[in-house]
Amino acid sequence: MAELNEDYVAPRTELEELIACVWREVLCRDRIGVHDDFFQLGGESLQVVKVVNQIQLLTDLELDLRAFFEAPTVAGLGKHVIEQFAALEEAQGAS
């Protein structure tokens, strides 16, 4: 099984902690750092679907699977979720 990033950085925000928690469940890991790569930790494509579905349920956002593959870290996915929230708020403000 692949090892964690040597420069472990714990989740820094509630969103990063939520994402890391989902990853821990799916990957059966005790600890996930914000810079750990999902695929280097042994994650597979079918597990990506589980992660994305769970995060969608918890955030009420539609996440693009492509975003996960482009940034397969907690920090990268967290940034994408924040951008989705901002875009949604902007769209609702323009209505």
Side-chain angles (χ1 to χ4, degrees), residues 30-83:
D30 293 329
R31 183 178 87 164
I32 301 286
V34 297
H35 302 300
D36 292 329
D37 184 289
F38 185 82
F39 301 105
Q40 290 179 357
L41 294 175
E44 300 174 352
S45 297
L46 289 176
Q47 290 172 311
V48 169
V49 174
K50 288 181 184 179
V51 167
V52 168
N53 285 339
Q54 187 65 26
I55 293 171
Q56 286 180 162
L57 286 171
L58 295 169
T59 63
D60 285 332
L61 284 178
E62 286 292 321
L63 296 180
D64 185 355
L65 284 174
R66 184 179 60 230
F68 193 100
F69 288 96
E70 291 172 358
T73 64
V74 169
L77 193 55
K79 181 181 177 195
H80 177 72
V81 170
I82 289 169
E83 290 169 354

Side-chain angles (χ1 to χ4, degrees), residues 4-19:
L4 295 168
N5 184 324
E6 289 180 17
D7 299 322
Y8 173 78
V9 176
R12 303 161 291 199
T13 65
E14 286 183 40
L15 177 59
E16 287 181 348
E17 181 56 44
L18 177 132
I19 294 167

